[in-house]
Amino acid sequence: MRGRAWIIALTAFGLAATLPAQAGGRRALLIGINDYSASRLPRAERSAAPGRDVPSLDGTANDVAIMHDLLIALYGFRDEDIITLTDQRATRAAILHALGRRLLGSTEKSDVVLFYFSGHGSQVRNWLSDESDHLDESLVPADSRQGAADIRDKELRPLFNRILDRGARLTIVLDTCHSGSGARGPDDHLRIRAVQPDLRNVADRTTGRSPESRGALVLSAAQDFSEAFETLDERGKIRGAFSWALARALRDAEAGESAADTFLRVRARLQVERPAQDPVIACTAATCLRPFLGVRTDRRGQRPVIAVERAMGNGEFLLQGGWASGVTSGSELRLAGHDDVRLEVTSLLGTSRCKARGPRDSTRLKPGALLEIITWAAPPSPPLRIWIPRAPIDPLVAGRSLRQEATQRGIRWIEDPLSTTTTHLLRWRDGAWELLHDGGRTRPAMPLLSGVPPGASLFVQLPVALALAESVGGIAGVESSARSAEADYVLTGRLAGDRLEYSWVRPLAIGSGVTLSILPPRTDWTSAGDPGLRDGLVKLRRVQGWNELRSPMTAGSHYRLAIRRLSDGEFVEDGILVGKHRYRLVLRAREPAPAHPLYARYLYVFAIDSDGKSTLLFPPPETGAVENLLPSTTTPGEPLRDPPAEIELAGAPPFLVSEPYGLDTFFLLTTDEPLSSLTSLAWKGVRGTRASGVSRPLEELLAQMLAGTRSPDESVLTPPTWSIDRVTFQSIPPRSSTP
């Protein structure tokens, strides 16, 4: 196993004949609406809903483009199989025509059908609706400003059911939200995909069963009462947060992976990047166990199908294989069967192509020549983005004055918004104070708290003095943001007693976002001159780095991490770990198994809790790294033909769930060579120390993770023979007395 070249696979140039046959055809309708101005559309007879604004968005065109490319690269769609409607082409009539006539009209039995919508969602009043709030969820078409009615879920249901009636496999993906509470957005720059409800009553009854109850797979960006956000990718391009998480989950998914497991990948990414957004999967048990859009066509892990498309001259080559296949800039390739012919990937071109530099003599690198990865460049981690609200005022003086005003008005002064529910938030933003309450925000007049009623609870987010802002700069992998919406953490001041203190706090962490965030909701409160403020930022960078780290595409583990309750011996299937209960770690074989052969590997399991502390669970630290070469085999170096369905990590003692409660992430690291030190996998406090004596490339990468100094501008070369998987559980206080 050591020194073997592992193979990355992608649907490649000239290889269509080698791909597995697909049952049925493939059909997709992709809709993305940025431009809601209706500036080029004729005015309709019906007027738009009164008091309803439909602002334009920024990221939906990017969403549609990457979904289009992934369908072709990974799922066997052809360009002619995909209908695309964007911006002002996506009117109500055009969407319904494309869905009813073009998509449904061409669908046959066993076809794979996708309906994808990226844009605004809303609600429409319907007094005859079967929903308790009498509001139908709806999609907002491009001609909404010209009076076009929303497309309600009740209108879509019969069309989707007719597709299912034909025996097709239907997948519905909606990157919208339906709450209409757009004023709760963190910033005007990155938008929320919702508009206010249309309160004009349509009064019709629901007919027919829901598509998800009949076998459709429905993935939604948010609950019907919450928001779907836009976000920035690592290159600063605006995308739908859900669509971007889905795109990366599809890229990283194992061949044959269930839709439920792929959804968990999506949710885990949102828990890092947009914790206030909670996506939804709706499907029958059988549908959830089927792969997303059926069998992948990239044959990941089976054979080398990175292929030369053409020579570009001067030793440069255009290759079929890129972002979608896990190829990374800096990785080293070689011509299959020819160790002396090597290339280095120099840049990625979109989702399915890359450029590489190789020998000037290209006689053996003809179009269609197959390549394999021998050294994989771990891609740079995205930066930890911070926002520091600077102000030309004395925050201590301002805090004392505001607290005195709150006391006089009978307002509860809250010192920690994460531990006590608040109704009002006062913060410094864009050179002035801003008051947030009831999902809205205003610029308060003097006195500042005149709009806060007696009995309300108030947290005042004090700004940062200029000198303090300069003292926390210069940390590798940490990037200052100009806007709070782009930030992972905001430097937040408070007045506690008579002392000014600061903490790094997650945006929108006040409320439900706390329980949905994989990253710690905040660091310890500390004084401005305390080094702990800077060290806390290093710790946050470390935790973020581990949650963003991904492994070589074809080195995925044949096993996934599972947790068994000791009280009844059952596996934890609902993702909930209960305080004061004991659990045991177990490995369960993936179904279907990854395509690449299974060899015994060195396994390491550690967990990062909601406070950012890491605990090594296996192998137990007191025993050292022994007996962790699994699965056990009597023929070292040979692939296992009949691996066990479960492996109990016998050396790992049961663990007790205790505080802090929140989201805990469990990591499974597998390598073909043992780690010389386990210090990279466990830490306390906020200061990371670089491991000494690092010699192996993978351990160099892990040492950077421990120190929190991994740069977003450089990659680390490693052998493509290791993997890291993660699974998140929510730990909660005891429900009753300990059993």
Side-chain angles (χ1 to χ4, degrees):
M1 182 173 184
R2 294 174 179 81
R4 260 195 337 269
W6 280 66
I7 298 163
I8 276 189
L10 178 72
T11 303
F13 172 75
L15 298 177
T18 72
L19 296 176
Q22 296 294 316
R26 311 228 141 198
R27 310 276 185 270
L29 172 57
L30 309 181
I31 303 165
I33 310 174
N34 279 337
D35 184 1
Y36 276 95
S37 68
S39 58
R40 301 187 303 276
L41 298 176
R43 186 174 297 277
E45 294 182 3
R46 184 183 182 186
S47 60
R52 191 190 200 204
D53 185 33
V54 186
S56 291
L57 296 168
D58 298 301
T60 69
N62 295 328
D63 297 342
V64 166
I66 197 168
M67 187 59 64
H68 174 278
D69 290 348
L70 288 173
L71 293 180
I72 294 173
L74 301 182
Y75 295 99
F77 286 71
R78 301 168 301 172
D79 189 64
E80 55 265 35
D81 297 331
I82 304 172
I83 306 166
T84 301
L85 293 176
T86 56
D87 291 334
Q88 294 190 41
R89 292 175 54 237
T91 62
R92 173 184 167 86
I95 292 172
L96 292 176
H97 178 269
L99 177 58
R101 294 291 182 89
R102 297 182 65 188
L103 197 65
L104 171 61
S106 60
T107 293
E108 299 178 355
K109 185 177 181 179
S110 300
D111 283 357
V112 174
V113 179
L114 170 67
F115 177 85
Y116 172 88
F117 184 91
S118 177
H120 277 307
S122 190
Q123 296 171 312
V124 177
R125 176 174 287 168
N126 180 3
W127 286 115
L128 298 180
S129 172
D130 57 357
E131 299 188 37
S132 59
D133 59 2
H134 299 294
L135 291 171
D136 292 342
E137 274 68 54
S138 63
L139 307 180
V140 182
D143 51 347
S144 177
R145 283 180 179 269
Q146 300 291 22
D150 289 4
I151 303 174
R152 295 176 295 120
D153 53 356
K154 306 302 185 295
E155 297 176 88
L156 294 171
R157 178 178 292 187
L159 293 171
F160 290 149
N161 280 334
R162 288 172 63 190
I163 292 175
L164 293 169
D165 290 341
R166 296 192 176 187
R169 291 180 55 178
L170 174 63
T171 298
I172 303 165
V173 178
L174 305 174
D175 193 350
T176 70
C177 56
H178 305 284
S179 70
S181 53
R184 275 188 56 193
D187 198 286
D188 294 331
H189 179 64
L190 297 178
R191 304 179 189 277
I192 289 177
R193 296 186 169 183
V195 297
Q196 295 295 331
D198 184 347
L199 298 180
R200 297 171 296 182
N201 188 27
V202 294
D204 65 355
R205 295 189 182 278
T206 303
T207 59
R209 293 169 58 193
S210 65
E212 58 268 29
S213 70
R214 299 190 57 212
L217 172 66
V218 183
L219 300 181
S220 302
Q223 304 275 354
D224 60 7
F225 52 81
S226 59
E227 292 86 358
F229 296 91
E230 294 195 330
T231 191
L232 297 177
D233 66 15
E234 64 266 19
R235 298 184 180 181
K237 184 177 291 187
I238 299 176
R239 301 180 183 274
F242 173 73
S243 291
W244 181 225
L246 176 61
R248 289 171 291 167
L250 298 179
R251 176 199 63 188
D252 297 343
E254 297 280 354
E257 178 177 281
S258 71
D261 283 347
T262 301
F263 174 77
L264 290 178
R265 294 179 186 269
V266 175
R267 191 176 189 193
R269 287 197 174 274
L270 286 175
Q271 287 169 336
V272 173
E273 297 160 1
R274 285 290 175 193
Q277 182 169 335
D278 191 14
V280 180
I281 182 172
C283 54
T284 64
T287 300
C288 281
L289 293 177
R290 292 203 300 251
F292 183 86
L293 296 181
V295 179
R296 294 173 70 109
T297 58
D298 60 336
R299 301 187 69 172
R300 179 162 299 165
Q302 292 186 354
R303 56 173 299 173
V305 289
I306 297 173
V308 176
E309 182 170 326
R310 62 183 173 87
M312 303 174 65
N314 297 321
E316 286 195 320
F317 297 84
L318 181 64
L319 308 181
Q320 285 280 350
W323 182 89
S325 64
V327 174
T328 56
S329 182
S331 294
E332 189 178 11
L333 315 175
R334 72 179 173 197
L335 181 63
H338 298 273
D339 192 59
D340 60 326
V341 181
R342 302 194 175 199
L343 303 89
E344 179 187 351
V345 177
T346 56
S347 61
L348 302 182
L349 305 175
T351 58
S352 302
R353 284 182 172 84
C354 64
K355 288 174 64 176
R357 183 182 300 108
R360 292 181 179 273
D361 177 13
S362 60
T363 55
R364 287 186 287 181
L365 292 171
K366 297 178 181 179
L370 302 183
L371 307 170
E372 58 188 11
I373 287 185
I374 56 175
T375 303
W376 186 76
S381 174
L384 182 76
R385 295 187 174 98
I386 60 173
W387 184 61
I388 303 177
R390 300 169 175 84
I393 62 175
D394 187 327
L396 180 59
V397 173
R400 289 170 174 169
S401 174
L402 287 167
R403 185 172 60 186
Q404 181 179 4
E405 182 182 346
T407 301
Q408 293 171 348
R409 293 180 176 274
I411 300 169
R412 293 176 58 209
W413 182 267
I414 303 300
E415 293 187 350
D416 190 345
L418 271 63
S419 60
T420 305
T421 302
T422 59
T423 60
H424 292 69
L425 169 69
L426 183 68
R427 68 181 183 183
W428 182 273
R429 183 175 179 269
D430 295 336
W433 289 102
E434 179 181 74
L435 184 65
L436 280 72
H437 60 97
D438 297 328
R441 55 190 180 194
T442 58
R443 292 291 190 188
M446 296 299 290
L448 290 174
L449 303 185
S450 58
V452 182
S457 55
L458 170 72
F459 177 70
V460 176
Q461 180 180 309
L462 294 171
V464 178
L466 299 180
L468 175 60
E470 295 174 356
S471 69
V472 295
I475 299 175
V478 177
E479 180 180 283
S480 292
S481 172
R483 304 176 183 90
S484 61
E486 300 172 5
D488 299 300
Y489 284 91
V490 174
L491 186 54
T492 300
R494 73 168 184 179
L495 185 65
D498 202 39
R499 185 181 179 190
L500 181 63
E501 295 179 332
Y502 288 95
S503 172
W504 297 102
V505 180
R506 287 284 267 164
L508 296 185
I510 302 172
S512 62
V514 176
T515 59
L516 296 175
S517 178
I518 285 179
L519 299 186
R522 66 163 175 82
T523 60
D524 288 335
W525 294 99
T526 184
S527 61
D530 195 310
L533 191 63
R534 183 182 178 90
D535 293 341
L537 198 55
V538 173
K539 175 182 177 181
L540 296 175
R541 169 62 179 166
R542 181 194 308 159
V543 177
Q544 181 224 28
W546 275 111
N547 280 284
E548 293 285 358
L549 181 65
R550 65 183 179 91
S551 47
M553 193 65 70
T554 53
S557 173
H558 281 247
Y559 289 86
R560 61 184 179 90
L561 196 61
I563 293 179
R564 174 177 279 140
R565 289 186 295 267
L566 291 190
S567 59
D568 58 10
E570 298 295 324
F571 286 107
V572 178
E573 301 289 359
D574 61 0
I576 302 296
L577 302 180
V578 182
K580 296 187 178 181
H581 284 241
R582 292 187 177 274
Y583 299 85
R584 183 180 292 280
L585 296 170
V586 181
L587 299 182
R588 301 180 74 179
R590 294 186 183 276
E591 295 182 1
H596 56 267
L598 170 61
Y599 293 82
R601 281 188 170 188
Y602 293 93
L603 306 183
Y604 305 87
V605 180
F606 60 101
I608 301 179
D609 66 21
S610 58
D611 275 356
K613 174 187 175 183
S614 177
T615 302
L616 179 64
L617 301 173
F618 181 81
E622 61 272 13
T623 64
V626 296
E627 298 184 0
N628 64 324
L629 182 62
L630 297 170
S632 300
T633 176
T634 57
T635 55
E638 293 294 324
L640 281 76
R641 301 186 181 277
D642 190 22
E646 293 182 11
I647 300 176
E648 284 213 8
L649 302 180
F655 63 91
L656 180 71
V657 174
S658 59
E659 295 186 89
Y661 299 120
L663 290 185
D664 302 327
T665 306
F666 292 76
F667 294 79
L668 171 63
L669 175 68
T670 78
T671 76
D672 68 339
E673 292 186 336
L675 300 179
S676 60
S677 171
L678 301 181
T679 58
S680 299
L681 308 182
W683 61 80
K684 296 180 180 179
V686 297
R687 188 183 298 276
T689 56
R690 194 175 186 82
S692 60
V694 172
S695 57
R696 295 172 182 160
L698 177 58
E699 292 191 281
E700 170 66 21
L701 174 62
L702 299 184
Q704 289 188 12
M705 304 299 294
L706 172 64
T709 57
R710 189 172 177 218
S711 171
D713 301 321
E714 61 181 271
S715 56
V716 178
L717 295 175
T718 72
T721 51
W722 62 277
S723 71
I724 188 160
D725 292 291
R726 53 186 66 83
V727 60
T728 301
F729 291 84
Q730 183 176 1
S731 60
I732 63 174
R735 291 168 172 160
S736 59
S737 60
T738 305

